[in-house]
């Protein structure tokens, strides 16, 4: 058999033996971004359809948490930076060909927007909330009169944010596992699904929970389809992508990915949601908790495995 | 730059020269030697390559950088402006050759083709110390430069050109 043996003299920290430059901060940031994008999308969407009274958790309660999620996500992104004192350089330019750049800018717009939305609905969480100063009250009611406009912007920005979490990775041609255009839609779907799960967890009305369980079922189906589609694409692609897929088809990520992410984080909650919709007795919180767990683990595994997939030695 | 794999003996002088010239932190390197053994015993073939950043013509590292810290210098050398770099790691992830690393001070660092020497008309440190004189440096747009002359004369390959980055490091074979 013809063989090739490569010995490299390079041993740079975090680069060799395989790339490990992004640790927990980036997948955690992608998870929080996706979750917030999901919640904000549903809030905007049901505001535009005038369903705020039917789905109060989605429109009013859940978005109150999104500024915290996004703030935490930005904080994790900041933690990941190795040259922290210069972080402001991110906001002195916009570079459209760099997903990191336009993603950071999207967050810069959607975070304050989510905070305003939260301020408009803070009474849902704290019924006796009082803004105290008239100026603040005036500002809040001024924004309240533009709610529909804000909902439109929220729907658009949340879709951009959701898809960005995938494009950030898929734009790297150097990492064959990430380099597929399926990753954007896949992360968006997963983000919407975790958003729906968050809403189900917070909702007190069975009717609203069932509505979002139905939505979540659809999203999980799309996700499963995209995952299979992604691996089919890899298997039919170049050697580097075949190798990348093999990490999941017999390689070291097979068990955690198919067992924990696809099994425990997608299939099981889908089964539980069907059972609940059929009025079987299952605690309503189990399925969404599993979806959130699956979404988080999915991003951790993909971020880690992607850095291990490579072109050269 | 061109590297003659037929002449390189894998002594790593280029690596040490670079570390000294550029004050590369201990435990890191901007260039490194790769030893590839090919074939079936007893018909084996050995190749030594002194590798470094390929100063790609279509560099994903420049494209991915959110701040513009990674950029082309006049002449096509790819460098990082230290106090514009936020250390996000996007460029490191985007390089199919893994030619970059994070300097302990936080910014991203890599081979500069010793731009500070080249500007003074000198050769990069690695080229100047090589005991077998296996490296050729110069401007590819100038037909009389060392590198232009040698790639015209000799057969060469680039590493993973299929990654699409248009690498500018030529390995003479
Ligand atoms: S080898 Fe890597 S660091 Fe160097 S120019 Fe190409 S992509 Fe950028
Ligand atoms: S680490 Fe620095 S040079 Fe690299 S992409 Fe980020 S800002 Fe640009």
């Amino acid at each position: 058999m013809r063989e090739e043996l490569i010995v490299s003299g390079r041993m740079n920290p975090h680069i060799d033996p395989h790339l490990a430059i992004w640790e927990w901060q980036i997948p955690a940031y992608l998870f929080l971004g996706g979750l917030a994008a999901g919640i904000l999308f549903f809030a905007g969407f049901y505001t535009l359809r005038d369903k705020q009274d039917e789905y109060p958790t989605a429109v009013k309660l859940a978005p109150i948490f999104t500024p915290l999620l996004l703030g935490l996500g930005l904080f994790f992104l900041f933690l990941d930076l190795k040259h922290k004192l210069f972080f402001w350089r991110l906001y002195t330019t916009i570079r459209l060909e760099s997903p990191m750049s336009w993603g950071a800018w999207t967050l810069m717009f959607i975070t304050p927007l989510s905070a305003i939305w939260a301020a408009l609905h803070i009474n849902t969480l704290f019924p006796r909330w009082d803004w105290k100063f008239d100026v603040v009250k005036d500002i809040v009611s001024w924004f309240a009169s533009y709610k529909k406009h804000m909902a439109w912007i929220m729907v658009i920005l949340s879709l951009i944010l959701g898809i960005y979490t995938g494009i950030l990775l898929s734009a790297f041609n150097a990492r064959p596992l990430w380099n597929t255009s399926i990753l954007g839609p896949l992360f968006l779907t997963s983000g919407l699904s975790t958003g729906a799960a968050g809403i189900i967890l917070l909702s007190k009305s069975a009717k609203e929970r069932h509505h979002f369980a139905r939505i979540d079922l659809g999203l999980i189906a799309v996700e499963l389809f995209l995952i299979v589609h992604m691996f089919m694409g890899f298997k039919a692609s170049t050697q580097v992508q075949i190798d990348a897929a093999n990490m999941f088809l017999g390689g070291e990520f097979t068990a955690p990915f198919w067992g924990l992410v696809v099994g425990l984080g997608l299939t099981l909650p889908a089964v539980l949601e069907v059972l609940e919709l059929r009025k079987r007795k299952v605690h309503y919180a189990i399925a969404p908790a599993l979806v959130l767990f699956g979404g988080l683990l999915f991003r951790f595994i993909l971020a880690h495995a992607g850095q291990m997939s490579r072109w050269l030695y | 730059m061109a590297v003659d794999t037929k002449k390189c003996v894998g002594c790593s002088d280029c690596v040490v020269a670079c570390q000294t010239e550029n004050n590369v932190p201990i435990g890191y390197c901007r260039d490194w030697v790769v030893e590839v053994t090919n074939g079936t015993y007893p018909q084996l073939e050995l190749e030594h390559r002194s590798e470094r950043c390929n100063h790609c013509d279509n560099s994903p590292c420049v494209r991915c950088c959110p701040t513009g810290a990674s950029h082309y210098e006049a002449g096509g050398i790819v460098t990082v402006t230290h106090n514009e770099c936020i250390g996000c790691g996007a460029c490191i992830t985007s390089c199919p050759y893994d030619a970059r690393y994070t300097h302990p001070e936080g910014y991203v660092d890599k081979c500069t083709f010793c731009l500070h020497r080249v500007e003074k008309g000198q050769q990069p440190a690695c080229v100047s110390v090589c005991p077998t004189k296996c490296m050729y440096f110069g401007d590819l747009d100038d037909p009389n430069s060392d590198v232009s002359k040698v790639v015209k004369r000799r057969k060469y390959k680039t590493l993973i050109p299929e990654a699409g980055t248009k690498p500018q490091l030529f390995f003479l074979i």
Side-chain angles (χ1 to χ4, degrees):
Chain A
M1 200 179 90
R2 205 179 154 73
E3 294 205 52
E4 192 176 33
L5 178 74
I6 301 179
V7 183
S8 160
R10 193 184 61 201
M11 250 306 151
N12 284 337
H14 298 292
I15 308 293
D16 302 296
H18 66 80
L19 185 68
I21 191 80
W22 285 347
E23 296 165 318
W24 60 272
Q25 298 93 333
I26 293 288
Y29 156 69
L30 298 180
F31 172 73
L32 292 169
L35 174 60
I39 295 177
L40 291 174
F41 173 80
F42 289 120
F45 183 74
Y46 286 113
T47 305
L48 292 176
R49 302 200 54 191
D50 277 325
K51 295 262 170 86
Q52 41 274 70
D53 298 325
E54 229 168 298
Y55 306 123
T57 317
V59 173
K60 298 174 186 162
L61 182 61
I64 297 179
F65 297 96
T66 53
L68 301 177
L69 297 174
L70 292 172
L72 197 62
L74 275 169
F75 178 64
F76 287 164
L77 176 63
F78 177 70
L79 284 186
D80 172 69
L81 302 182
K82 310 285 183 310
H83 215 203
K84 293 191 173 44
L85 284 180
F86 294 86
F87 80 95
W88 50 272
R89 284 281 181 185
L90 258 183
Y91 293 110
T92 52
T93 42
I94 299 190
R95 303 196 63 251
L96 284 182
E97 66 271 50
S98 158
M100 190 74 107
S101 174
W102 59 257
W105 277 100
T106 309
L107 274 165
M108 214 41 176
F109 284 108
I110 201 166
T111 312
L113 186 66
S114 73
I116 297 170
W117 194 267
L120 294 185
H121 300 101
I122 193 82
N123 286 341
T124 334
L125 192 59
F126 305 105
R128 304 226 303 249
W129 185 275
D130 182 17
W131 287 108
K132 289 209 175 63
F133 302 101
D134 284 345
V135 205
V136 185
K137 278 185 199 150
D138 288 348
I139 297 177
V140 171
S141 59
W142 182 80
F143 276 116
S145 59
Y146 286 101
K147 226 167 161 177
K148 279 268 154 86
H149 299 82
M150 284 173 63
W152 266 115
I153 304 175
M154 231 152 69
V155 166
I156 295 167
L157 283 186
S158 62
L159 289 177
I160 297 179
L161 177 63
I163 205 159
Y164 147 74
T165 59
I167 292 185
L168 175 69
L169 301 183
S170 73
F172 293 125
N173 152 52
R175 312 293 151 199
L177 180 70
W178 293 340
N179 193 217
T180 161
S181 46
I182 302 259
L183 221 57
L186 181 55
F187 271 61
L188 174 63
T189 320
S190 165
L192 290 173
S193 167
T194 52
I199 295 170
I200 298 177
L201 271 183
L202 290 171
S203 173
K204 294 206 178 56
S205 116
K207 188 167 165 277
E208 188 177 22
R209 284 204 300 264
H210 286 171
H211 179 70
F212 279 95
R214 255 177 242 120
I215 293 181
D216 199 27
L217 266 178
L219 291 168
I220 290 178
V222 176
E223 248 179 280
L224 289 171
F225 167 75
L226 289 176
I227 287 175
V228 173
H229 204 53
M230 178 170 88
F231 282 106
M232 277 167 54
F234 284 152
K235 284 304 250 184
S237 178
T238 50
Q239 188 62 46
V240 285
Q241 289 200 316
I242 295 173
D243 291 344
N246 284 344
M247 295 198 289
F248 290 80
L249 304 170
E252 59 179 304
F253 293 101
T254 315
F257 184 76
W258 298 101
L260 296 178
V261 175
V262 175
L264 210 58
L266 290 171
T267 319
L268 185 61
V271 172
L272 292 177
E273 277 166 357
V274 171
L275 287 181
E276 216 208 326
L277 290 173
R278 297 226 170 127
K279 308 262 182 318
R280 298 286 170 81
K281 270 215 170 351
V282 250
H283 195 281
Y284 75 88
I286 302 177
L290 287 174
V291 167
L292 290 173
F293 162 78
L296 184 63
L297 197 66
F298 172 62
R299 286 162 179 78
F300 268 86
I301 291 184
L302 238 78
H304 186 65
Q307 296 185 72
M308 291 178 68
S309 69
R310 60 186 61 207
W311 281 87
L312 268 171
Y313 42 83
Chain B
M1 180 189 274
V3 180
D4 192 340
T5 60
K6 293 277 184 262
K7 280 206 260 170
C8 176
V9 290
C11 67
S12 294
D13 261 10
C14 50
V15 181
V16 179
C18 169
Q19 286 165 330
T20 317
E21 172 72 28
N22 295 301
N23 240 328
V24 177
I26 293 176
Y28 293 77
C29 58
R30 291 183 180 184
D31 58 349
W32 56 92
V33 175
V34 174
E35 194 184 285
V36 188
T37 318
N38 245 320
T40 325
Y41 181 82
Q43 263 107 35
L44 295 174
E45 216 177 70
L46 184 69
E47 179 179 282
H48 283 116
R49 295 195 300 251
S50 166
E51 294 184 6
R52 58 190 55 48
C53 165
N54 288 267
H55 296 273
C56 308
D57 228 6
N58 178 24
S59 354
C61 57
V62 171
R63 194 173 344 118
C64 281
C65 176
T67 64
S70 283
H71 63 280
Y72 299 104
E73 294 282 343
I77 297 181
V78 176
T79 62
V80 182
T81 310
H82 293 166
N83 56 12
E84 278 179 21
C85 169
I86 59 175
C88 66
C91 55
I92 294 183
T93 312
S94 78
C95 170
Y97 303 91
D98 288 331
R100 298 173 161 237
Y101 58 83
T102 318
H103 191 281
E105 277 171 30
Y107 52 81
V108 164
D109 207 20
K110 66 184 262 302
C111 161
T112 59
F113 269 167
C114 283
L115 189 60
H116 60 287
R117 290 172 59 95
V118 175
E119 277 167 346
K120 283 188 259 164
Q122 295 166 326
Q123 298 275 6
C126 52
V127 178
S128 71
V129 299
C130 177
T132 65
K133 303 226 177 319
C134 79
M135 285 178 253
Y136 304 84
F137 181 79
D139 185 355
L140 282 163
D141 289 336
D142 170 8
N144 290 318
S145 69
D146 293 349
V147 64
S148 300
K149 282 195 274 192
V150 78
V151 294
K152 209 181 296 162
R153 192 156 50 78
R154 293 273 302 270
K155 269 202 187 140
Y156 64 84
K157 67 174 178 189
T158 53
L159 291 182
I160 47 167
E162 62 275 22
T165 64
K166 298 212 168 80
Q168 300 297 307
L169 192 56
F170 306 104
F171 292 97
L172 308 175
I173 47 176

